[in-house]
Amino acid sequence: MKKYLLLFSALFVLAACNSGNNDSKDSTTKSTAAATEKTSSKATTATSENSSSKNSSTTSNTKTQTSSTKTDSSHGNHAMSAMDELQANYPNDKFPDPATISGGKQIGITASEEQGTLKVNYYVVNEETPFNDPALNDQTPVAQFQRKAFDSKETAQNEVGQTYDPNGQQVDLGHNITGYRSAGAGSSFIMWKEGNWSLAVRANNLEQEDPVPLAKQTVEYLEGAFLPVPKDAGQISLRVAPGDFQSNSVVWQDNQTVYTIMNSDSMSSLKMAVSMAK
């Protein structure tokens, strides 16, 4: 009997221990599961916050890009200037800088092309004027640019009409350049050469004009400014007294093409030509 009692007590103690171990394991499992759930919840919250931040940043960038696009679009609504329209109509041509045409005054522009000759007229205007505005046809141009094509280089070279006579009285024009002075038909001239360019200044004897000061001014200016380089021939013809837009001319040849610049002011005609060499 005692043996049975002892055996029963031993079994009871063993069962109680197993029950305690199972409760400990369940407690540990529940604790681990709770910790895992909290960690997962935090990670989900962080991911959600990061996603929200990224969406907010993307929205902000989209707004910035949209604003930039609107700004560029509104800028494109401005009307083109006459010079911009001239260049748009003749994209393969180069033209004088408008700022050199008439001492920085505002310029109106008309252009036409017939039989291989492009003519661009420039007018002094009081306000911005559309390209090829019919109202300009009633005004006198202050300057003109021409581009004319020929069948051969020889014909183009002859069109330049170089004038140079080294038999006149020698005149020191500065910078080691010698001019030659001559007279005829009520005018006096000074002629000289610089590279492929021939230059001539004309003065009216009846008005007691002297060609020397303008010749020296031209040499001084061209010492620091560069003209287009003629392939074979270039001619600059200047007058002391201001006149119409044909009074002063700069003409040069580029293979079969001849370019001509004319201006009522002598130095402005030079500046127009120099602006085309840049």
Side-chain angles (χ1 to χ4, degrees):
M1 186 66 178
K2 290 180 178 179
K3 288 182 180 180
Y4 287 110
L5 289 174
L6 290 171
L7 179 59
F8 181 79
S9 297
L11 289 172
F12 180 82
V13 171
L14 181 60
C17 289
N18 287 337
S19 176
N21 289 339
N22 288 336
D23 289 341
S24 177
K25 288 180 180 178
D26 290 344
S27 177
T28 302
T29 302
K30 288 179 180 178
S31 177
T32 303
T36 302
E37 183 178 355
K38 287 183 179 180
T39 302
S40 176
S41 176
K42 288 181 179 179
T44 303
T45 302
T47 302
S48 176
E49 290 176 353
N50 288 338
S51 176
S52 176
S53 176
K54 287 181 180 179
N55 288 339
S56 175
S57 176
T58 302
T59 302
S60 176
N61 288 340
T62 302
K63 288 181 179 179
T64 301
Q65 291 172 359
T66 302
S67 175
S68 175
T69 301
K70 287 181 179 178
T71 301
D72 291 341
S73 177
S74 63
H75 179 72
N77 289 334
H78 291 302
M80 294 175 67
S81 69
M83 187 63 198
D84 289 337
E85 287 203 51
L86 173 66
Q87 195 66 71
N89 278 275
Y90 302 95
N92 298 322
D93 286 289
K94 188 173 183 179
F95 299 99
D97 182 350
T100 65
I101 293 172
S102 189
K105 295 178 182 177
Q106 192 148 286
I107 297 297
I109 302 173
T110 63
S112 61
E113 185 171 17
E114 294 180 3
Q115 299 179 348
T117 300
L118 170 65
K119 289 185 179 181
V120 182
N121 290 322
Y122 301 93
Y123 308 81
V124 174
V125 294
N126 295 323
E127 59 184 9
E128 189 167 340
T129 305
F131 176 64
N132 271 343
D133 190 333
L136 295 173
N137 295 332
D138 297 328
Q139 300 185 32
T140 302
V142 68
Q144 186 180 91
F145 168 80
Q146 291 184 19
R147 183 254 296 144
K148 188 173 183 178
F150 293 88
D151 295 333
S152 66
K153 289 175 59 177
E154 292 73 22
T155 305
Q157 185 174 350
N158 292 333
E159 180 71 14
V160 173
Q162 275 192 309
T163 302
Y164 177 65
D165 182 4
N167 298 316
Q169 177 188 357
Q170 292 188 5
V171 179
D172 182 7
L173 300 178
H175 299 285
N176 296 317
I177 292 179
T178 299
Y180 298 90
R181 185 167 186 164
S182 59
S187 299
S188 58
F189 302 86
I190 289 185
M191 303 179 187
W192 71 98
K193 293 201 73 172
E194 296 189 32
N196 286 343
W197 286 96
S198 295
L199 300 94
V201 173
R202 178 183 175 185
N204 189 331
N205 291 340
L206 298 178
E207 299 294 331
Q208 298 182 340
E209 295 173 351
D210 184 0
V212 175
L214 179 56
K216 288 185 176 181
Q217 184 182 4
T218 300
V219 169
E220 184 66 32
Y221 173 69
L222 294 178
E223 185 65 19
F226 299 94
L227 292 163
V229 179
K231 292 298 182 182
D232 295 298
Q235 175 66 40
I236 295 175
S237 302
L238 308 176
R239 295 187 65 170
V240 172
D244 60 24
F245 75 92
Q246 297 175 317
S247 298
N248 304 279
S249 63
V250 182
V251 188
W252 71 98
Q253 171 207 9
D254 185 357
N255 293 321
Q256 294 174 231
T257 304
V258 172
Y259 298 97
T260 301
I261 286 173
M262 294 183 285
N263 196 302
S264 58
D265 178 74
S266 57
M267 294 307 296
S268 292
S269 66
L270 292 174
K271 292 175 182 178
M272 287 176 67
V274 166
S275 73
M276 291 192 64
K278 296 179 181 179

